Amino acid sequence: MSGTESAFPIDLKKYRKLTLDPSKPQLTAEQKSTLLHNIQLLRDALVLFTATGAARGVSGHTGGAYDTIPEVCILLSLFEASEKYLPIVFDEAGHRVATQYLLAALDGHIPPEHLLHYREANSKLPGHPELGLTPGVKFSSGRLGHMWPMVNGVAMANKEKVVFCLGSDGSQQEGNDAEAARLAVAQNLNVKLLIDDNDVTIAGHPSQYLKGYDVSKTLEGHGLKVYTVQGEDIDALWAAIAAIVTYDGPAAVVAKRLMAPGVADIEGSTHGHDVIPVKAAIKYLTARGYPTSMSEGILNNIKPASAPYLYIGSTKEVGANRVVFGEAVNLVLDKLSKEEAAEKVMVIDSDLEGSTGLKVIHQKHPEVFVPSGIMERGNFSTAAGFGFDANKFGVFSTFSAFLEMVISEVTMARLNNCNVLSHFSHSGVDEMADNTCHFGVNSFFADNGLSDVQSWLYFPADPLQMVAVIQRVFFERGLRFVFSTRSKVPYILKEDGTKFFGDGYEFVPGKDETIVEGKAGYVVSFGEMLYRSWDAVLRCRQQGLDVGLINKPTLNLVDEQTLRKIGSSPFVLVVESLNQKTGLGSKMGTWLIERQLTPKYGYMGTTKEGCGGLSEQIPYQNLDPQSIIMKIKQLSN
């Protein structure tokens, strides 16, 4: 058998149970040999099954999980020795989820061969651990850097236990970890942090882009007892862990190491942050003495899932709006001298420049670019402070899921009349293998001001509209929020086959756009759901149902003329991938009723936790064209 039909070829039963006593901080030769055996076994297994994520095109974060295997093996040996430890390997770096799946397999909750379905749709092995979804997973990590404050509470509820949390130099950049540190020290909580300090995050090396940042000194400054060691020195690592375990109060081991030590093609590199390439995994496993045919037989027989559906009403050509955002900003900056651009504009990154489109700005207009850490709250406020001057403009970008983290800062910016253009990429659920905690579905939270102030929420439908939006709104004052998806999107076509947002198109903030008129009723959509809705509408029209389609690129403003038109038709259906509880659909019904407009009304949005995979997320939420067609027909009866 080959591919995912294979048995797991690395025998996890060779893991040797070990007990360690922290009162004995020196390893015996036998203990050290056993630890090194276990570490290598689990690292090999982890490289193999995370590489299946690369093979199927769903990514999968190898390096961080690979790094912390020595700490995990030591924790398992402590759990084996005594009941005074809470036997959960909490981890505030959710993308190290491979560790949790490996532990679930070791404990017998899932068969080892199921690991070969890593991050595959409906395999219940998504990109972050989710409690209640995966057998054997004992907590939901949420987003990066959100666990330590919760672990403090766990420690307070289990005062007789020692509670551990794996950390990282990336997760420690989040401001809520500073709050957690202060509370842990003030309450003398029995919390022990094991921090992988590999000096690698998504965008680069913290030592370069965040000069002055030092994990050990920061934690010592908060009052924790801190031991800094070389993480690959197993004797030193164990001695330090033994020391913090016997210390009365919160303490941390900061384990310094290269990212993915011993993995030739990704060691010490930002490439190690994400999933190991298939060729690199085969090279590593072969060098480790496994038959080349073993890894090749599995990895080379896994292929990305295909999406054979042929959409009508849009092009086969696709573009990444999240990248086009940066290109569109460059088009604006290109019109300014370098000096004028630096004077008027500041673009700040939160370690995601390659994912949110800021990298092209960094490359072409370094005079405006500020690389920064994983500090969304502070970075947003910095952009706002730059835009405190009426003639200066801050630009901020991160994932849409993290919008919820900056709501208070958004309020402060609004109260101070700041100029901020925010780009929130990875909106909705499309192609979100990281799954539920990374869903960007509560975008309307950005519009949290009172009725006497205005915010602008824009969600372009394709790359041409993204360019038009940025060109139009870049130098407008106030708070402007632009959304894009992780997935690429096609170009919307008119019924005559030309591009809807092509030559002659001008974006007008607050104006809804009629894609096609209809007498039977209207579908209202935006963003990555517009081309899917257009496909559904066209197929209904082919069947004789005269349905219209409205694009609503400005999400939060009422276009009175369009609202009255659609509200006077037989039905209105809102189709979006935002949270059905908080999205456009939850608001448009109210807008219609306020105006005594009473068409049949329906709205479709994201309603449930994710299924992993990529393109599978949309049909899983019943947002595919066929589901839209079914809803149209229900409302038209």
Side-chain angles (χ1 to χ4, degrees):
M1 291 185 291
S2 61
T4 56
E5 300 304 314
S6 303
F8 197 73
I10 298 175
D11 187 2
L12 296 182
K13 291 180 181 177
K14 291 184 177 179
Y15 181 87
R16 303 172 190 166
K17 289 189 176 182
L18 174 69
T19 60
L20 290 176
D21 180 354
S23 68
K24 300 174 181 178
Q26 289 186 328
L27 293 170
T28 66
E30 183 179 357
Q31 288 173 331
K32 182 175 181 179
S33 175
T34 299
L35 266 179
L36 292 174
H37 165 83
N38 289 342
I39 291 166
Q40 196 63 67
L41 175 72
L42 298 191
R43 279 180 163 174
D44 292 349
L46 193 142
V47 166
L48 175 62
F49 80 78
T50 57
T52 68
R56 61 175 53 93
V58 295
S59 189
H61 299 293
T62 301
Y66 179 98
D67 282 5
T68 53
I69 289 296
E71 291 91 316
V72 169
C73 287
I74 288 173
L75 291 187
L76 294 180
S77 299
L78 288 172
F79 298 163
E80 193 70 28
S82 173
E83 294 185 355
K84 73 177 182 178
Y85 310 106
L86 191 70
I88 302 177
V89 184
F90 288 113
D91 192 341
E92 62 175 354
H95 53 255
R96 290 195 298 230
V97 68
T99 300
Q100 305 306 321
Y101 298 150
L102 194 51
L103 293 177
L106 276 178
D107 290 341
H109 294 287
I110 59 175
E113 54 267 21
H114 189 59
L115 296 171
L116 298 176
H117 296 268
Y118 180 60
R119 288 170 66 115
E120 181 182 326
N122 302 304
S123 69
K124 298 188 177 181
L125 300 177
H128 282 234
E130 296 190 14
L131 181 66
L133 178 69
T134 311
V137 164
K138 299 177 181 179
F139 64 94
S140 296
S141 70
R143 302 147 192 161
L144 185 70
H146 281 60
M147 281 304 303
W148 187 2
M150 196 183 98
V151 167
N152 278 349
V154 171
M156 294 175 83
N158 295 272
K159 290 186 171 65
E160 74 287 358
K161 301 283 189 181
V162 177
V163 184
F164 293 96
C165 183
L166 298 179
S168 67
D169 53 332
S171 60
Q172 286 290 309
Q173 293 176 27
E174 289 285 13
N176 51 1
D177 271 9
E179 298 179 16
R182 290 194 289 268
L183 179 65
V185 171
Q187 297 298 318
N188 200 42
L189 301 179
N190 213 0
V191 172
K192 314 299 179 182
L193 277 290
L194 303 178
I195 297 173
D196 175 36
D197 189 1
N198 56 30
D199 194 31
V200 170
T201 54
I202 296 175
H205 305 283
S207 61
Q208 297 174 13
Y209 68 71
L210 208 60
K211 294 183 185 298
Y213 169 59
D214 184 288
V215 177
S216 298
K217 290 180 179 178
T218 299
L219 293 174
E220 288 172 346
H222 285 303
L224 277 81
K225 183 68 174 178
V226 179
Y227 294 85
T228 303
V229 299
Q230 293 301 315
E232 297 304 291
D233 182 341
I234 198 67
D235 294 292
L237 183 64
W238 164 241
I241 292 175
I244 66 168
V245 168
T246 54
Y247 177 79
D248 180 22
V253 172
V254 176
K256 291 186 172 292
R257 55 166 64 90
L258 292 174
M259 167 74 83
V263 186
D265 290 353
I266 61 174
E267 182 181 85
S269 160
T270 54
H271 298 297
H273 173 85
D274 209 324
V275 70
I276 185 170
V278 167
K279 288 184 179 179
I282 293 172
K283 178 179 177 180
Y284 166 85
L285 291 166
T286 301
R288 286 280 307 125
Y290 298 96
T292 303
S293 58
M294 178 269 282
S295 51
E296 286 186 340
I298 294 173
L299 299 177
N300 289 341
N301 285 287
I302 297 174
K303 305 300 179 185
S306 61
Y309 190 88
L310 181 62
Y311 289 92
I312 58 175
S314 58
T315 62
K316 292 182 180 179
E317 176 192 3
V318 295
N321 266 7
R322 60 190 173 105
V323 175
V324 172
F325 170 83
E327 295 170 350
V329 170
N330 278 347
L331 290 175
V332 174
L333 297 175
D334 288 346
K335 299 174 184 177
L336 308 177
S337 68
K338 297 291 186 183
E339 294 74 19
E340 186 181 8
E343 178 69 20
K344 294 184 66 173
V345 178
M346 187 271 286
V347 178
I348 191 165
D349 178 45
S350 297
D351 189 52
L352 290 172
E353 63 176 274
S355 297
T356 66
L358 300 192
K359 187 173 183 178
V360 294
I361 304 174
H362 190 179
Q363 292 170 337
K364 193 172 185 181
H365 289 280
E367 71 276 5
V368 307
F369 188 82
V370 178
S372 189
I374 308 165
M375 308 180 297
E376 295 86 357
R377 303 165 185 84
N379 289 340
F380 179 89
S381 287
T382 300
F386 187 88
F388 182 63
D389 185 309
N391 295 311
K392 295 181 186 291
F393 300 85
V395 179
F396 168 83
S397 188
T398 189
F399 290 169
S400 289
F402 308 159
L403 184 152
E404 298 165 29
M405 296 162 59
V406 301
I407 296 302
S408 181
E409 286 72 19
V410 167
T411 297
M412 281 296 294
R414 189 178 288 111
L415 292 173
N416 281 289
N417 300 321
C418 297
N419 302 321
V420 187
L421 176 65
S422 294
H423 174 216
F424 289 98
S425 71
H426 293 57
S427 265
V429 304
D430 197 6
E431 298 197 0
M432 297 293 282
D434 278 333
N435 225 45
T436 311
C437 71
H438 270 247
F439 283 0
V441 293
N442 290 312
S443 301
F444 276 82
F445 287 9
D447 188 20
N448 66 337
L450 301 176
S451 296
D452 60 348
V453 295
Q454 184 56 61
S455 296
W456 305 85
L457 276 58
Y458 302 121
F459 205 141
D462 72 12
L464 288 174
Q465 188 168 45
M466 172 64 83
V467 172
V469 168
I470 299 305
Q471 296 269 32
R472 175 65 172 78
V473 309
F474 189 89
F475 285 122
E476 289 190 346
R477 290 177 168 79
L479 302 186
R480 291 136 298 137
F481 301 88
V482 179
F483 300 93
S484 66
T485 58
R486 182 183 186 274
S487 59
K488 294 179 178 180
V489 291
Y491 294 80
I492 302 298
L493 297 176
K494 298 177 183 178
E495 287 188 287
D496 65 7
T498 60
K499 291 180 178 178
F500 192 95
F501 304 109
D503 292 343
Y505 171 76
E506 287 189 17
F507 174 70
V508 179
K511 180 65 177 174
D512 296 347
E513 299 165 346
T514 300
I515 305 298
V516 69
E517 300 282 5
K519 296 178 181 178
Y522 282 92
V523 175
V524 179
S525 192
F526 57 86
E528 87 288 16
M529 294 310 300
L530 185 69
Y531 78 89
R532 294 180 167 98
S533 297
W534 191 206
D535 176 272
V537 164
L538 284 171
R539 294 182 191 277
C540 286
R541 292 170 70 87
Q542 289 173 353
Q543 298 172 20
L545 189 56
D546 188 19
V547 184
L549 177 64
I550 303 297
N551 180 37
K552 188 164 183 59
T554 307
L555 302 184
N556 60 326
L557 294 187
V558 175
D559 179 340
E560 295 289 351
Q561 183 179 1
T562 301
L563 190 68
R564 186 156 300 278
K565 176 175 70 174
I566 65 175
S568 301
S569 75
F571 75 83
V572 174
L573 171 62
V574 175
V575 179
E576 61 186 318
S577 67
L578 301 185
N579 185 347
Q580 188 165 288
K581 294 170 66 175
T582 65
L584 176 64
S586 70
K587 301 176 183 302
M588 184 162 278
T590 301
W591 296 342
L592 289 165
I593 292 172
E594 287 174 340
R595 291 155 181 81
Q596 290 78 52
L597 299 171
T598 56
K600 288 185 180 179
Y601 186 68
Y603 56 108
M604 304 171 69
T606 292
T607 58
K608 53 190 175 183
E609 293 184 349
C611 67
L614 292 175
S615 61
E616 296 88 352
Q617 295 281 17
I618 289 292
Y620 183 74
Q621 299 291 343
N622 297 313
L623 293 172
D624 56 287
Q626 292 306 311
S627 296
I628 299 170
I629 289 171
M630 287 179 60
K631 190 68 174 179
I632 289 172
K633 291 183 175 180
Q634 288 174 8
L635 290 171
S636 63
N637 288 334

